[in-house]
Structures are given as structure tokens and as C-alpha cells.
Amino acid sequence: MASDPLQPEGGWAGPLQARLEVPPPSERGLLFRAVSRISHLFGRPELPAVFPLLHRNPRLFWGWLFFASRLMPWGRLAAPARELVILRTAWLCRSRYEWGQHVEIAERVGVVDRDIIAVTRGPEAFSNATLRTLIQACDELHQQDCLSDDTWRQLQIRHSDSQLLEIMMLVGHYRMLAGVLISCGLPLEVRMEDNLKAFHARIRSLIQTD
């Protein structure tokens, strides 16, 4: 596994090797292969391994795919804010696969390197009040499954009731998914590994000057 200049406390979680293999294309079923071009909706030339992995249980997969797509890419939160929420959740869960995938997505939707670094440091690292409150919400939902009164009030100032529900479900969904990915030992794809290495090379100077 590639060396990470940024790692969560305790390191990335997971077994030493994959426990549940990603099935090859020939074993994925005609319907799955027919719709596997959904990778282009995510701006990817190839299908992320998480999709064929979860398709090992087709009965759950299709319902999950519809639900997950309502959060990302077709959620109602601004894409950069959404990606910072997902990244903070991945960091707190110590899910390297989720982190690596969403570093790349965050870059594509315009999240700057300093904000990705700030995700690893917590709410206080954000000067923007809206982002600081969102990251605080991630921490509280991760730690006690309940938003504090103050965080709830701060979220209400800037978000509709519909968006409040989406924020909580976004965190909850990616916490659940992180547990599955970690337990299965799903490794990052080669292209995502290369992107993460490039990101780490860029941020070394930022980390040293902070």
C-alpha cells in the first residue's frame, strides 16, 4: 500500500488483504454490464470497483444505487460542500478507499488542496462558517449520532429542512459504506492510487508551511 503523508489517528482501517474479491466482468450479469456506463456520470473512464463489489448482492445493489445517486451526484448540496462532508466522514471512519475516491472527485468539483488538508484537521481549520458547521456536524454524527443544539441552529441558518435531512443522510450513508469497504478490504484502483500520490506530492509544501 502506498505511503500516506496524511493518515488518520490509528492509520487507515482494514484487513491486510482483500476479503471479498471484485468479480470479473464475465461474472457481473448482463443487466449490470449494460448499465455499467454509469461511470461516465461520475466523470470516470472506468467503473469504480465499489459497484461490482456491491453487485455481489444484486437484490440490495439496485436499491442502494438509486438511493446513493440521490445523494451523489444528484444531491441538492453544492458539490464542493458535499465532497468535504464525504471526505471528513471517510477520514473519521479511516476508510482509505472512500478517501482516495473522493479526493479525486473533490478536485474535479473545485475543492482546493488547502480545504482537503483542513478536512483532516477538523472544524476549527475552516474559516468559512458554513463549511466549519458542516464539518462539525460530521464530527458530532460520527461521535454520538446526534447533532448538538448549537450545530443544529447553525445549520438551520444556512440550509432548508430538506437539506438538513440530506446532510444527515449523507454522513450516515458514507459511514455505512465505509464500514463495508473497510471490512471487505477493497483496495483503491491503480488510477486512484496514482491520483492520491500526485495529491500527496503537491501538499507536502503546504503542510510544511502551515
Side-chain angles (χ1 to χ4, degrees):
M1 181 176 291
S3 175
D4 293 320
L6 292 174
Q7 288 195 37
E9 185 176 354
W12 299 107
L16 296 178
Q17 59 186 19
R19 291 171 170 166
L20 197 58
E21 298 293 337
V22 176
S26 61
E27 297 177 11
R28 295 178 186 179
L30 290 175
L31 179 59
F32 182 86
R33 281 182 281 170
V35 301
S36 63
R37 293 178 182 177
I38 59 172
S39 61
H40 296 295
L41 297 176
F42 297 83
R44 300 292 176 79
E46 75 284 330
L47 192 69
V50 60
F51 292 104
L53 176 73
L54 297 183
H55 187 255
R56 280 188 171 277
N57 187 326
R59 188 177 68 85
L60 294 179
F61 173 79
W62 296 108
W64 166 80
L65 184 63
F66 178 81
F67 172 74
S69 70
R70 303 301 95 182
L71 298 170
M72 186 273 170
W74 295 310
R76 298 300 174 86
L77 294 177
R82 177 199 71 212
E83 289 307 313
L84 290 172
V85 167
I86 295 172
L87 283 171
R88 182 61 177 173
T89 302
W91 183 264
L92 293 172
C93 293
R94 299 162 55 213
S95 173
R96 192 171 185 274
Y97 184 91
E98 202 166 78
W99 174 262
Q101 286 283 345
H102 285 273
V103 163
E104 195 267 352
I105 297 172
E107 292 169 337
R108 282 196 286 107
V109 299
V111 177
V112 298
D113 289 347
R114 285 192 180 277
D115 279 348
I116 297 177
I117 295 170
V119 163
T120 72
R121 297 175 178 175
E124 65 283 354
F126 288 87
S127 57
N128 179 285
T130 298
L131 295 180
R132 185 168 61 248
T133 303
L134 284 171
I135 300 302
Q136 180 65 34
C138 291
D139 286 19
E140 292 178 4
L141 289 169
H142 183 82
Q143 292 162 5
Q144 63 244 10
D145 292 308
C146 184
L147 295 172
S148 66
D149 289 340
D150 182 61
T151 298
W152 182 267
R153 284 192 295 268
Q154 292 300 315
L155 288 171
Q156 276 189 313
I157 292 171
R158 301 171 179 88
H159 301 90
S160 66
D161 290 350
S162 176
Q163 288 177 321
L164 285 171
L165 288 169
E166 184 169 330
I167 291 165
M168 291 184 286
M169 288 189 178
L170 183 67
V171 174
H173 170 258
Y174 279 92
R175 285 179 67 194
M176 176 202 73
L177 188 59
V180 174
L181 298 174
I182 291 168
S183 296
C184 291
L186 183 64
L188 269 174
E189 298 87 355
V190 172
R191 198 173 75 85
M192 292 297 101
E193 283 285 1
D194 290 342
N195 185 75
L196 202 54
K197 288 176 184 176
F199 169 72
H200 289 162
R202 286 200 314 273
I203 66 172
R204 285 193 182 98
S205 61
L206 291 177
I207 294 174
Q208 291 168 359
T209 57
D210 284 353

